[in-house]
Amino acid sequence: MTATPRIAFIASQADGAQRALSVLTGLHGQCEPEAADVLVPLGGDGFMLQTLHRHGQLGKPVYGMKLGTVGFLMNHYRQDDPASGSDLLARIAAAEPAVLRPLEMRTETESGATVTSLAYNEVALLRQTRQAAHLQIDLNGVTRLEELVADGVILSTAAGSTAYNFSAHGPILPLGAGVVALTPIAPFRPRRWRGAILRAETEVRFRVLDPYKRPVSVTADSHEVRDVVEVTIRESRERTVTLLFDAEHNLEERILSEQFVV
């Protein structure tokens, strides 16, 4: 990164984010994402994920600032300073990096279509109707669970483990541990199965049993595919993204702190 980085500010449509965009571009200028040294999304975690999906292939570091309702992946936008601190450039220069590797999802649908997508937080299979999903789970080509009867199942990265995964009683994963969390959603059978922690490079395949009677959808972050028959997921071997965090609120510390909330 250059001494004075070229910044691409990217804002959600929320009023606060748009006001911040106007202030920040007036102070620091604006650059197209392709030519920028750093991307600065303004919004919440949902908007951060949108930014990663839209611009992650550029390989630019991303320093997000919270201007939405949720901001686990974001830094604070300091409301008492209209520029979120005239020290914005210093904050970016001193920020600590967190390198994330997304999940790659490949889905086969009832119609025969193949859909691929990335997930920085999680891939979640969910029942589409009132009837529970029936799923077979294979790991690296070996069937480990013949039939899971549940509302669904989640495969989560460490960065996403504090989100939907945690709400489904899955484990919080340390950043950089090289593992992912496999967590059932309201399991009925096996009733006592609470999921597994897997090496990140494990190839996980879900086969939907009786997909016509018990249809299942899958979401990779916010990208949904309906009427799936098979979903294969593995950690990306080529794609990474670098998030930048203020040292006092880095991502590793946030994940650790979540485990001691009482």
Side-chain angles (χ1 to χ4, degrees):
M1 192 180 299
T2 59
T4 303
R6 295 166 295 179
I7 301 175
F9 294 101
I10 309 165
S12 76
Q13 293 303 309
D15 290 344
Q18 289 296 314
R19 287 193 295 269
L21 176 65
S22 178
V23 170
L24 290 169
T25 54
L27 287 168
H28 303 287
Q30 178 64 302
C31 185
E32 291 298 320
E34 292 77 9
D37 297 306
V38 60
L39 309 182
V40 178
L42 308 170
D45 277 356
F47 187 71
M48 168 63 89
L49 290 174
Q50 289 179 32
T51 300
L52 296 181
H53 282 280
R54 187 173 302 161
H55 301 295
Q57 78 283 358
L58 297 175
K60 311 286 186 176
V62 182
Y63 181 91
M65 286 198 286
K66 178 183 175 181
L67 281 142
T69 55
V70 180
F72 191 81
L73 299 175
M74 315 294 275
N75 297 287
H76 291 297
Y77 182 85
R78 296 169 184 164
Q79 298 291 345
D80 58 341
D81 187 328
S84 188
S86 57
D87 61 342
L88 175 60
L89 298 181
R91 290 175 69 187
I92 292 174
E96 296 186 358
V99 179
L100 308 182
R101 195 175 292 273
L103 301 174
E104 293 179 341
M105 178 190 78
R106 184 176 185 273
T107 299
E108 307 290 338
T109 70
E110 289 179 16
S111 66
T114 300
V115 182
T116 61
S117 187
L118 294 177
Y120 293 91
N121 266 7
E122 76 276 316
V123 174
L125 282 77
L126 303 166
R127 63 185 177 96
Q128 286 181 200
T129 67
R130 66 185 184 280
Q131 294 181 302
H134 287 215
L135 305 168
Q136 176 184 307
I137 302 177
D138 298 347
L139 305 181
N140 292 329
V142 178
T143 299
R144 295 294 182 177
L145 199 55
E146 292 282 354
E147 185 179 52
L148 169 66
V149 180
D151 282 354
V153 65
I154 302 166
L155 189 68
S156 171
T157 66
S161 65
T162 60
Y164 193 8
N165 168 75
F166 189 49
S167 295
H169 307 292
I172 294 178
L173 303 176
L175 196 67
V179 294
V180 293
L182 178 62
T183 303
I185 304 171
F188 178 74
R189 191 169 62 242
R191 192 177 295 274
R192 290 185 174 84
W193 188 64
R194 291 295 178 261
I197 296 175
L198 309 173
R199 290 170 63 93
E201 61 266 26
T202 303
E203 182 180 87
V204 182
R205 177 176 290 116
F206 301 104
R207 302 181 192 273
V208 180
L209 308 176
D210 200 1
Y212 300 101
K213 181 180 179 181
R214 302 173 181 276
V216 171
S217 66
V218 63
T219 59
D221 291 342
S222 60
H223 179 206
E224 183 185 34
V225 182
R226 297 180 69 82
D227 300 317
V228 303
V229 296
E230 185 173 296
V231 180
T232 302
I233 309 161
R234 69 178 185 184
E235 185 182 66
S236 176
R237 297 171 183 171
E238 299 177 354
R239 180 72 65 85
T240 61
V241 64
T242 300
L243 302 187
L244 302 176
F245 293 92
D246 294 330
E248 65 273 23
H249 297 295
N250 63 60
L251 185 57
E252 185 173 1
E253 174 62 28
R254 294 181 192 195
I255 291 175
L256 184 62
S257 297
E258 282 294 310
Q259 298 177 74
F260 292 90
V261 175
V262 295

